[in-house]
């Protein structure tokens, strides 16, 4: 499948590298078409890897992974434009973390709204699927590295077919065994409000290599 | 141990009943000293059970469990008074759920503050310990009923000795195997902000008999 990945940080690289390893044709998008981190990534992985602008990544992909910092999410999508996003499966991994008052961060939106909902509201033609925002980048694409994959992931979004496409990547591709479908994109509030506890657990446990399992 | 329990709802009854079964001398507090639900509880359990006002419960207990609705928490403590709370171990199980806009509820305080912190700030002499707010009443006192107790609980508070007292009740009394100490009372923000995801999982799973396990 042709897939675009917006973001050159730990999350973007982790997702893009895994997708290439799975045989997908991946274009990593950045602000500039000649971004050095994207060039380094595209040169280092063996497989169908290329780089371009955020808009190029969107043009390239049937599915577009949004892996930028939450504070940049809407600006990045604005540079892509509503036309390119119309009809596309947009996988939203962002968290609205606000570090402006130091650690631990607060959320720039929460409680009666979420970044996932804001993205869907701003681009009504996009088929937004929120997932993978609840854990560390390494574990996102390699859940089996922790407790043989015996832990949980969540997914939500208004478009059932888009969710099914992403679910296949998560389960058959990344190896997730327990992905809980919470419903529509408004459920993103719950997923993003998990972050304040995640961040505190990171501090307490001294490592980001943990996840929650929903025991039922 | 002499213990007070403020609250006659599912959480209060669950906590009070378990404490009596463990051999503690428990007074259930309510707005009125002759509250019918408290009378029914005190009559039904066999052991050291009695009833009174919220203030009576505070006078009775070396440890006081606050098991009222979040919206009533500060008013209940006001009726108890700062003098009675000074020096006492106050176990805060409340969640600032706001149902005024329907389901799912929002939080009346979150992100840069929490109900746990507000309680500690309002009663600086109390030794506030936040715990047990993250799951269903039945599982609070019987973690072994789910997956043989293989799931997690959290605790936080500024007073180390108070946390140790509560920790003993949680582990040796209720049977919790994995209680994660997150640090000071400000960590209550993370614990209370878990609720929006808990509520959505309740809706999705169709039962409140679940909990999270921190896999690490």
């Amino acid at each position: 499948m042709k897939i675009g990945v917006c973001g050159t940080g730990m999350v973007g690289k982790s997702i893009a590298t895994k997708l290439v390893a799975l045989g997908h044709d991946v274009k990593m998008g950045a602000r500039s078409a000649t971004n050095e981190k994207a060039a380094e990534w595209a040169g280092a992985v063996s497989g169908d890897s290329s780089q371009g602008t955020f808009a190029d990544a969107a043009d390239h992909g049937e599915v577009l992974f949004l892996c930028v910092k939450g504070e940049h999410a809407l600006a990045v999508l604005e540079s892509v434009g509503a036309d390119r996003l119309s009809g596309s499966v947009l996988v939203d991994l962002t968290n609205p973390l606000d570090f402006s008052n130091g650690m631990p961060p607060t959320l720039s939106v929460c409680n009666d709204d979420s970044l996932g909902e804001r993205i869907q509201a701003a681009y009504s033609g996009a088929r937004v699927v929120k997932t993978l925002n609840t854990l560390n980048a390494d574990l996102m694409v390699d859940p089996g590295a922790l407790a043989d994959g015996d832990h949980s992931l969540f997914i939500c979004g208004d478009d059932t077919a888009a969710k099914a496409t992403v679910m296949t990547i998560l389960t058959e591709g990344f190896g997730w065994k327990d992905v809980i479908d919470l419903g529509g994109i408004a459920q993103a509030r719950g997923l993003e409000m998990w972050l304040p506890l995640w961040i505190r657990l990171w501090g307490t446990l001294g490592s980001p290599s943990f996840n929650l399992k929903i025991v039922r």
Side-chain angles (χ1 to χ4, degrees), chain A:
Chain A
M1 193 188 287
K2 290 189 167 200
I3 300 180
V5 174
C6 291
T8 62
M10 283 175 58
V11 175
K13 270 193 283 195
S14 193
I15 295 287
T17 301
K18 179 71 173 188
L19 290 169
V20 170
L22 290 168
H24 297 294
D25 176 358
V26 180
K27 187 180 287 290
M28 179 181 279
R31 205 162 302 182
S32 143
T34 56
N35 179 283
E36 282 182 18
K37 285 163 80 179
E40 191 184 335
W41 170 80
V45 300
S46 58
D48 288 326
S49 60
S50 58
Q51 75 173 124
T53 62
F54 293 127
D56 293 336
D59 276 335
H60 176 82
E62 301 162 53
V63 174
L64 185 65
F65 281 76
L66 185 64
C67 305
V68 300
K69 287 183 180 168
E71 60 190 308
H72 300 138
L74 288 166
V76 164
L77 294 178
E78 199 180 332
S79 82
V80 171
D83 283 353
R84 278 192 190 87
L85 293 170
S86 185
S88 80
V89 176
L90 179 60
V91 189
D92 170 26
L93 286 80
T94 65
N95 280 304
L97 299 176
D98 178 1
F99 293 90
S100 64
N101 292 308
M103 283 291 286
T106 53
L107 300 180
S108 61
V109 52
C110 67
N111 207 18
D112 60 357
D113 201 356
S114 65
L115 190 49
E117 288 167 275
R118 286 195 179 177
I119 289 169
Q120 183 64 82
Y123 300 95
S124 58
R127 302 155 72 197
V128 180
V129 177
K130 184 112 203 171
T131 190
L132 292 169
N133 71 305
T134 52
L135 79 168
N136 181 250
D138 294 338
L139 289 175
M140 289 178 190
V141 297
D142 190 14
L146 178 68
D148 201 25
D150 188 21
H151 44 101
S152 307
L153 186 67
F154 309 96
I155 192 170
C156 70
D158 293 340
D159 190 298
T160 303
K163 271 198 290 198
T165 297
V166 177
M167 186 69 99
T168 300
I169 295 172
L170 295 172
T171 54
E172 297 177 17
F174 298 173
W176 282 95
K177 297 173 184 172
D178 182 32
V179 185
I180 300 174
D181 184 348
L182 290 169
I185 192 65
Q187 309 299 336
R189 288 178 208 182
L191 297 188
E192 296 174 13
M193 288 176 83
W194 154 251
L195 264 287
L197 184 50
W198 186 89
I199 286 162
R200 286 162 174 83
L201 284 164
W202 181 15
T204 298
L205 301 175
S207 161
S209 293
F210 67 89
N211 190 25
L212 81 175
K213 173 186 174 181
I214 301 301
V215 182
R216 69 268 202 199

